[in-house]
């Protein structure tokens, strides 16, 4: 009996250690980095595909200092989970924060987050991808309802109304990935300003970097 109890105690100790390690690892990663003047928040995550990462990003955005004026993506971001995206977009819009894509590919959840910006800047080398919420094939009616809601968010935040209806309502069943260069994104209301001149944004590393004018690259055909 004592040996069984000892064995159970050892197993319990191992489980407790694993729980502490998991809790520690959840707080170990960063999703954003503040610039030296705390006016720019640079996104460090290239994919929000897990709830752990997406939840952490939502929390970090909600607790940004009031000094932050710009949320900057300078690495490709392939998206993640829609419910997290609209929470972030809503927070950015309420705070009056500008979103900025610096020669990067912004897809899926990233694009909806970007739309939350009160101003939405991009360099010429940036590109975007929008698609419907894929949802659950076993409940297509619910997926259709969610897509109508997400399409409404895009329209409210500035996307061309006919295009939003085409993507999220008319062509919803096709599940097409819609890709746009920075210039095309500006024409449909996704981008408000293309920065064709060098503009300094502090990247939070102790020095400033400059956005270089580049030729628009081939858009990467990747889904989130």
């Amino acid at each position: 009996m004592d040996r069984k109890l000892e064995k159970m105690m050892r197993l319990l100790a191992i489980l407790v250690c694993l729980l502490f390690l998991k809790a520690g690892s959840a707080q170990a990663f960063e999703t954003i980095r503040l610039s030296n003047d705390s006016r720019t928040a640079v996104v460090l995550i290239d994919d929000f595909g897990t709830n752990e990462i997406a939840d952490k990003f939502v929390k970090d955005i909600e607790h940004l200092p009031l000094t932050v004026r710009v949320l900057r993506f300078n690495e490709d971001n392939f998206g993640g989970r829609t419910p997290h995206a609209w929470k972030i977009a809503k927070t950015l819009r309420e705070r009056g924060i500008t979103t900025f894509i610096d020669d990067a590919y912004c897809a899926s959840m990233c694009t909806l987050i970007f739309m939350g910006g009160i101003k939405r800047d991009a360099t010429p080398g940036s590109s975007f991808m929008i698609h419907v919420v894929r949802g659950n094939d076993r409940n297509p009616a619910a997926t259709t309802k969610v897509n109508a809601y997400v399409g409404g968010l895009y329209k409210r935040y500035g996307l061309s109304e006919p295009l939003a209806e085409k993507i999220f309502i008319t062509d919803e069943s096709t599940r097409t990935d819609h890709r746009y260069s920075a210039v095309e994104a500006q024409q449909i209301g996704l981008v408000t300003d293309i920065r064709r001149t060098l503009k300094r944004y502090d990247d939070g590393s102790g020095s400033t970097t400059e956005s270089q004018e580049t030729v628009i690259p081939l858009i990467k055909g990747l889904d989130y």
Side-chain angles (χ1 to χ4, degrees):
M1 186 71 178
D2 290 340
R3 295 182 67 180
K4 285 185 178 180
L5 181 60
E6 184 181 353
K7 189 175 180 181
M8 289 177 63
M9 292 298 290
R10 284 180 180 176
L11 287 173
L12 182 61
I14 291 171
L15 286 172
V16 170
C17 288
L18 288 173
L19 287 172
F20 272 109
L21 286 172
K22 184 176 180 182
S25 65
Q27 300 302 320
F29 65 89
E30 293 181 300
T31 66
I32 55 176
R33 181 183 61 229
L34 291 181
S35 62
N36 291 340
D37 62 3
S38 296
R39 290 180 60 81
T40 301
V42 181
V43 178
L44 303 177
I45 304 297
D46 63 3
D47 190 298
F48 303 104
T50 69
N51 281 323
E52 180 187 24
I53 294 174
D55 287 343
K56 178 73 161 54
F57 188 56
V58 169
K59 187 178 295 184
D60 288 347
I61 291 293
E62 289 176 342
H63 291 87
L64 283 175
L66 296 177
T67 52
V68 171
R69 307 314 310 149
V70 177
L71 181 70
R72 170 183 171 179
F73 292 80
N74 54 8
E75 301 290 343
D76 294 348
N77 190 287
F78 303 103
R81 284 157 164 67
T82 304
H84 296 87
W86 69 50
K87 284 183 184 177
I88 295 166
K90 183 174 181 288
T91 299
L92 296 175
R93 184 58 64 104
E94 289 174 349
R95 291 274 303 272
I97 291 175
T98 292
T99 46
F100 176 54
I101 307 295
D102 189 1
D103 282 357
Y105 175 63
C106 179
S108 186
M109 172 182 172
C110 175
T111 306
L112 182 52
I113 292 170
F114 176 74
M115 285 296 294
I118 196 75
K119 283 186 59 187
R120 301 177 296 281
D121 298 342
T123 56
S126 300
S127 55
F128 301 84
M129 188 271 279
I130 303 173
H131 65 66
V132 297
V133 179
R134 300 294 160 83
N136 190 329
D137 290 334
R138 289 173 296 180
N139 194 349
T143 301
T144 297
K145 186 175 181 179
V146 169
N147 275 314
Y149 179 77
V150 174
L153 285 178
Y154 270 97
K155 287 190 292 184
R156 190 185 317 158
Y157 287 160
L159 188 69
S160 160
E161 185 169 339
L163 180 63
E165 291 184 357
K166 176 177 172 59
I167 293 174
F168 291 98
I169 297 176
T170 308
D171 296 342
E172 181 211 1
S173 61
T174 66
R175 299 187 172 187
T176 304
D177 292 342
H178 302 265
R179 298 181 174 87
Y180 306 97
S181 67
V183 172
E184 292 167 335
Q186 187 180 38
Q187 293 170 347
I188 61 175
L190 184 61
V191 170
T192 54
D193 186 26
I194 297 177
R195 299 204 171 279
R196 298 186 178 278
T197 57
L198 297 180
K199 179 175 179 63
R200 291 183 178 275
Y201 281 91
D202 189 336
D203 67 0
S205 63
S207 61
T208 54
T209 57
E210 294 180 330
S211 303
Q212 303 294 326
E213 173 144 12
T214 60
V215 177
I216 296 175
L218 292 174
I219 301 174
K220 306 172 186 64
L222 298 174
D223 202 350
Y224 75 93

